[in-house]
Amino acid sequence: MALARPFALLVALALAVLVACGDPTAPPATADEVAYLQVVAHHDDDLLFMNPDVRDGVRSGHRLMTVFLTAGEAEEPDANGYSAARQAGARAAYARMAGVPDEWDGSAMALAGGRTAERYSLKSRPRVALVFLNLPEDADPRAAGGRGALSRLWRDRGGWVSVDTLVPTGGQVAEPSRYTGNGLVKVLAKLMEGFRPTVLRTQDPDPDPDYPFWLPLHDHPDHVMSARFAEAAARSYRRSPDRPALSVVGYRDYNIEDAPANLGPEQQNDKIGHFGEYQKHDKLAHGPAYDRWSRRMYYRWDRGTAWVGQAPDGRLHAFAVRGKDVIGWRQAGDRWESAAVDRPDGPLAAGLAVGRGVGGLTVCGRRLDNDGMTCRDDRGWVGLGSPDPGDARVGVPAVAAHRDGRLALFVRDARGGVSRVEQDGDGRWGSWDRLGGADVRDGLSAVPGPDGAPEVYAATATSVLRWAGGWDSSFPAVAPAGAPVAVADAGGTTVVVPVADTGEVLRATRTGGAWSAPVRGPGPGGPGRPAAVSADGAVVVVGRAGDGGVTTDASGAWAGIGGTPLDYPAAAVDPAGRLVVLLVGPDGRLHTSVRAERGGAFGPWQATP
């Protein structure tokens, strides 16, 4: 489509003004200012699979930008008109999440390589922006080379494959842009350099192969490719100078429909309402699956709650994954300081498990490049292999110690059961042992058992299982909304379980070989698994509140304590006997709040360097 010269001149002038005058995506005044960036394939992927996290980001007041890679036109005859309608739906949903009128300022946005995109900023909240690249959707046979445009761009690294973008009806750009695979990576990396995100939210680059649809990728090809392009751009961006710390969070997509509903009724209704604004503009976004997706939100690899441990000197240590590194912090009296951790032997998933074994404080993780486990103690990193090498179904680790100090590591294996590997008396790790089990979901909880040997708790779609030398299904009947968390103390083992589709939690304690009558009550209000710790003679539960903050419960009454967790908070007791709640924030830093005495108030949140 050729532009008339006067219109082309106007576009050029508009781009020049945009670049010269700046806009809300310009670098922040301070290097550690929080900024959220979502990169998704289609106009509803963020609403269906990343909410309520995106909603919380919109409402936070921080800078937020979502980049939609494809035009989402599918096989619709009026591809340009349908794409424009989906854009309108995205804008309407974001306006509702922000609680402001659906009024936007649109402009053409200059990108790397002379390309342009459509950019909209919310008039009442100009720090919220949407960017539409408008690449061809996977199902569109009209793209250069036919269907599968993003997949073909990803596979090609020689620049031989290129596709042109669509031009949605009535949009901000009148001519298409041409992309190669490397060109798309460069565009996204340059966007990151300009926007300077501290949080990157992506879709699932490596879906669980148990999902039986959308073969061979087990998910929509555009979902997978958008995540891979976003991660490739993030690797490039991390090499740019003076960039802030970047946390990457991946989300499961279509396969969450087979998982228990892990949002409570209030969050479900909120999410359904936001998506409903989008649905008014998309004639194809209807059907039972959309309702199922709207009641769930699952991370591809969640951080879990076991990323804090106590060293032999009594000090608490915390760990997190950032890029290819593991970062650490340690308690130093009333403050926390950074603690150097040597680079692991491969890139790790977010979920780390910390225990104290024969080699001292030990942190374990799951490698993303070969699906194996790796652990680091005072002697450095050592690879443990995998019960199922090369299989994406292998989960993240849980660890617990024997009475003699040897650690045992447990994972959900590719058969849907649990596998274990243990240390010997010298701290050497042995070979994998399959413990069996069926329909086990990722996210195990391991604790020392009453006989001195570790036991592990696991969630299935319909129940909680316990393994202690054999499988035990005597836990009180409950359909879990996610992973259980177990706490072992002098009073026995207490297990806390989020209950599917209710927003409630169930607690039960095992003493003398029998479970107490379960206590079921309100949950924290937010998504995901809780943390729990024995403190001052009670089991204290910590979770995400409905407003995105942190809330605690020791006696059946939840009390908010503020904070802004990136995913899930954790809790521990420090050498002084004080309860400490910890979170990794969207600024990439560790934040802690301390309760000095039983029943007392939590202190203000303190951020580490």
Side-chain angles (χ1 to χ4, degrees):
M1 181 186 299
L3 278 173
R5 184 167 297 178
F7 187 81
L9 179 60
L10 287 175
V11 171
L13 288 173
L15 292 175
V17 169
L18 180 66
V19 173
C21 297
D23 58 53
T25 69
T30 57
D32 61 352
E33 181 183 344
V34 168
Y36 297 96
L37 175 65
Q38 290 73 232
V39 176
V40 296
H42 309 120
H43 305 72
D44 56 356
D45 291 341
D46 47 341
L47 303 173
L48 290 171
F49 307 122
M50 298 179 177
N51 252 347
D53 281 358
V54 172
R55 178 210 65 180
D56 293 342
V58 168
R59 295 177 180 176
S60 70
H62 294 298
R63 293 179 304 116
L64 179 142
M65 182 168 70
T66 300
V67 178
F68 303 92
L69 296 192
T70 79
E73 76 283 7
E75 299 175 282
E76 283 299 294
D78 181 9
N80 307 71
Y82 179 58
S83 180
R86 297 192 72 175
Q87 285 191 13
R91 293 193 295 269
Y94 272 79
R96 173 159 176 164
M97 286 190 285
V100 300
D102 183 16
E103 298 173 356
W104 299 75
D105 289 318
S107 60
M109 183 179 188
L111 301 174
R115 303 173 181 91
T116 57
E118 299 184 73
R119 182 186 179 280
Y120 295 85
S121 61
L122 192 53
K123 285 186 177 182
S124 298
R125 293 280 187 87
R127 291 163 71 84
V128 174
L130 307 181
V131 175
F132 301 92
L133 298 191
N134 296 319
L135 286 154
E137 204 264 350
D138 181 77
D140 192 346
R142 295 157 293 193
R147 302 178 191 270
L150 271 188
S151 299
R152 288 185 285 107
L153 290 181
W154 176 255
R155 290 192 297 266
D156 176 60
R157 282 296 179 266
W160 300 105
V161 174
S162 63
V163 297
D164 289 341
T165 60
L166 275 75
V167 180
T169 302
Q172 306 299 317
V173 176
E175 280 193 336
S177 295
R178 180 159 294 179
Y179 280 85
T180 62
N182 288 336
L184 180 52
V185 172
K186 290 178 182 177
V187 162
L188 293 175
K190 285 294 184 182
L191 274 173
M192 293 177 190
E193 287 182 25
F195 186 68
R196 296 173 62 81
T198 59
V199 176
L200 170 63
R201 303 194 190 281
T202 76
Q203 297 185 256
D204 188 351
D206 191 18
D208 189 323
D210 276 342
Y211 190 63
F213 308 114
W214 289 93
L215 305 179
L217 294 175
H218 304 279
D219 205 329
H220 195 299
D222 286 346
H223 294 173
V224 177
M225 298 309 150
S226 72
R228 293 179 181 178
F229 273 115
E231 290 189 346
R235 289 192 292 271
S236 175
Y237 166 66
R238 284 192 173 102
R239 295 193 292 267
S240 62
D242 302 322
R243 80 284 186 273
L246 179 65
S247 299
V248 179
V249 183
Y251 293 77
R252 291 171 54 185
D253 297 310
Y254 283 157
N255 59 30
I256 66 173
E257 67 176 311
D258 292 336
N262 66 340
L263 301 181
E266 185 174 344
Q267 286 202 318
Q268 289 182 28
N269 291 336
D270 201 32
K271 182 173 178 177
I272 289 169
H274 298 145
F275 184 65
E277 289 298 318
Y278 170 83
Q279 282 181 301
K280 295 174 183 177
H281 300 265
D282 187 345
K283 62 184 180 181
L284 301 183
H286 299 277
Y290 287 93
D291 181 72
R292 292 193 291 270
W293 296 324
S294 295
R295 301 180 187 277
R296 296 154 170 82
M297 185 192 77
Y298 280 87
Y299 299 114
R300 179 58 179 101
W301 304 109
D302 72 57
R303 187 187 310 278
T305 59
W307 43 275
V308 182
Q310 194 169 45
D313 64 5
R315 292 196 294 177
L316 296 179
H317 287 238
F319 301 88
V321 174
R322 183 182 297 155
K324 293 184 178 180
D325 298 320
V326 172
I327 55 176
W329 302 274
R330 61 176 169 239
Q331 192 176 25
D334 290 334
R335 62 184 181 86
W336 286 72
E337 61 189 14
S338 297
V341 181
D342 51 308
R343 176 168 282 189
D345 44 11
L348 301 184
L352 300 177
V354 181
R356 196 165 76 202
V358 175
L361 190 67
T362 304
V363 55
C364 299
R366 179 202 189 279
R367 286 179 54 169
L368 294 174
D369 55 349
N370 65 10
D371 309 305
M373 301 299 125
T374 184
C375 292
R376 180 194 182 276
D377 57 20
D378 295 343
R379 298 163 294 188
W381 290 96
V382 59
L384 281 59
S386 169
D388 300 287
D391 198 303
R393 289 170 289 194
V394 176
V396 295
V399 298
H402 287 267
R403 185 171 292 159
D404 59 10
R406 296 179 298 115
L407 282 178
L409 181 149
F410 303 87
V411 296
R412 180 246 194 180
D413 58 37
R415 300 182 185 181
V418 174
S419 290
R420 174 190 61 181
V421 62
E422 294 188 327
Q423 290 179 323
D424 64 17
D426 295 321
R428 293 186 297 262
W429 292 92
S431 56
W432 287 95
D433 177 24
R434 293 192 188 274
L435 307 181
D439 190 35
V440 169
R441 306 301 169 104
D442 196 16
L444 310 177
S445 184
V447 293
D451 62 354
E455 58 185 26
V456 65
Y457 292 83
T460 73
T462 58
S463 65
V464 173
L465 302 177
R466 169 179 174 264
W467 184 91
W471 286 103
D472 170 20
S473 58
S474 65
F475 188 84
V478 62
V485 57
V487 179
D489 60 16
T493 301
T494 298
V495 182
V496 181
V497 185
V499 182
D501 209 28
T502 66
E504 297 178 339
V505 294
L506 178 144
R507 301 191 198 196
T509 300
R510 183 181 175 88
T511 55
W515 291 102
S516 65
V519 176
R520 182 164 165 172
R529 65 168 77 177
V533 64
S534 177
D536 298 320
V539 173
V540 180
V541 185
V542 179
R544 279 179 60 180
D547 63 1
V550 179
T551 184
T552 67
D553 176 21
S555 58
W558 291 92
I561 61 173
T564 307
L566 184 62
D567 41 32
Y568 302 143
V573 175
D574 72 4
R578 304 175 303 177
L579 174 60
V580 183
V581 176
L582 310 93
L583 63 87
V584 175
D587 57 0
R589 301 161 72 184
L590 179 72
H591 298 248
T592 59
S593 179
V594 177
R595 190 186 73 179
E597 57 186 27
R598 182 175 184 176
F602 281 85
W605 288 94
Q606 303 290 332
T608 60

